[in-house]
Amino acid sequence: SQQGEEDPQALSIQEGENATMNCSYKTSINNLQWYRQNSGRGLVHLILIRSNEREKHSGRLRVTLDTSKKSSSLLITASRAADTASYFCATDKYGNKLVFGAGTILRVKS
Amino acid sequence: AAGVIQSPRHLIKEKRETATLKCYPIPRHDTVYWYQQGPGQDPQFLISFYEKMQSDKGSIPDRFSAQQFSDYHSELNMSSLELGDSALYFCASSLGPGSSGNTIYFGEGSWLTVV
């Protein structure tokens, strides 16, 4: 990966449980975004958190950002089978490009 | 709501052939990005355009070129195709540069298979 690691690489949970995915990056950033990708499909934007923000919520999603540790976490509460997908974090420092992490494969079993 | 439209969705080409992928950004979006995602890989940035000018360049091979037209749609041209070019190619768009905190929206991607 160009940017860093996502942890865990794969996660399998039961429906109704919470899922936490972590992302680390290497350089200072302006923003960090989380995306979801169903197998072989497009990247769906979930949430954007700016470097001066520490936490953000959107529905069942909670994202935290710790710029001192260069890390972010995505929490999905009360998971559903439809949440099964790959989740990527992506950062930008300058310029127009997003740099993606390696992704976490989440499987929610019903 | 309108999304990023990519065409074709699937493409099969032989080695050494040429392929062209098209991208129509979300209306009023002025910034377009191209990414390449190999099997089991994270998306890799290729190139971006802002207001029809190239704004950033990533790991795009010299065999590839791209441009953004006056109507803001973009095309990625790939020549002398190699087996390793087989991948899912994403186009994305945003209103203004992504580094300004603008959400970047992705299309469904174009599957290129080189045989």
Side-chain angles (χ1 to χ4, degrees):
Chain A
S1 166
Q2 297 179 77
Q3 176 59 297
E5 298 300 319
E6 292 204 35
D7 166 38
Q9 290 185 333
L11 180 62
S12 183
I13 59 174
Q14 291 293 134
E15 207 166 25
E17 294 182 336
N18 295 341
T20 299
M21 289 159 272
N22 303 297
C23 160
S24 62
Y25 54 91
K26 297 175 181 173
T27 63
S28 59
I29 62 170
N30 290 332
N31 310 286
L32 185 144
Q33 305 190 47
W34 283 90
Y35 289 84
R36 184 186 75 229
Q37 183 179 34
N38 291 86
S39 181
R41 302 296 301 276
L43 291 153
V44 176
H45 183 263
L46 296 176
I47 200 163
L48 180 152
I49 186 165
R50 291 180 167 75
S51 59
N52 61 353
E53 297 176 312
R54 292 297 166 258
E55 187 172 314
K56 207 161 182 181
H57 296 255
S58 176
R60 294 184 295 113
L61 306 180
R62 173 178 168 254
V63 168
T64 62
L65 179 64
D66 188 335
T67 53
S68 66
K69 295 181 179 177
K70 292 186 171 60
S71 67
S72 174
S73 68
L74 170 67
L75 168 67
I76 303 175
T77 60
S79 62
R80 305 166 182 168
D83 295 328
T84 295
S86 293
Y87 291 81
F88 293 92
C89 72
T91 58
D92 69 77
K93 179 179 180 180
Y94 44 72
N96 294 323
K97 64 181 181 184
L98 285 177
V99 179
F100 283 82
T104 293
I105 300 171
L106 172 66
R107 181 184 171 209
V108 181
K109 295 178 282 187
S110 55
Chain B
V4 178
I5 305 297
Q6 291 188 244
S7 69
R9 291 296 315 279
H10 299 271
L11 191 59
I12 299 174
K13 290 286 185 178
E14 295 189 354
K15 282 192 302 184
R16 292 180 289 278
E17 284 192 321
T18 297
T20 297
L21 306 181
K22 295 185 178 182
C23 169
Y24 297 86
I26 291 172
R28 294 190 300 113
H29 280 196
D30 50 18
T31 307
V32 167
Y33 316 78
W34 285 98
Y35 283 79
Q36 177 193 59
Q37 186 180 30
Q41 304 293 313
D42 52 288
Q44 302 285 311
F45 173 75
L46 293 178
I47 195 167
S48 64
F49 294 87
Y50 171 62
E51 281 293 343
K52 293 156 277 184
M53 299 289 290
Q54 181 182 308
S55 54
D56 205 348
K57 197 171 182 180
S59 52
I60 183 169
D62 292 340
R63 299 177 289 108
F64 292 10
S65 65
Q67 58 180 321
Q68 186 179 29
F69 294 86
S70 58
D71 64 351
Y72 294 98
H73 94 272
S74 179
E75 294 183 358
L76 176 66
N77 298 294
M78 301 173 283
S79 62
S80 302
L81 288 170
E82 302 172 357
L83 295 178
D85 296 328
S86 296
L88 183 56
Y89 289 83
F90 286 110
C91 175
S93 75
S94 64
L95 180 61
S99 58
S100 299
N102 299 308
T103 299
I104 299 176
Y105 296 92
F106 283 76
E108 285 290 313
S110 292
W111 277 104
L112 171 65
T113 302
V114 182
V115 297

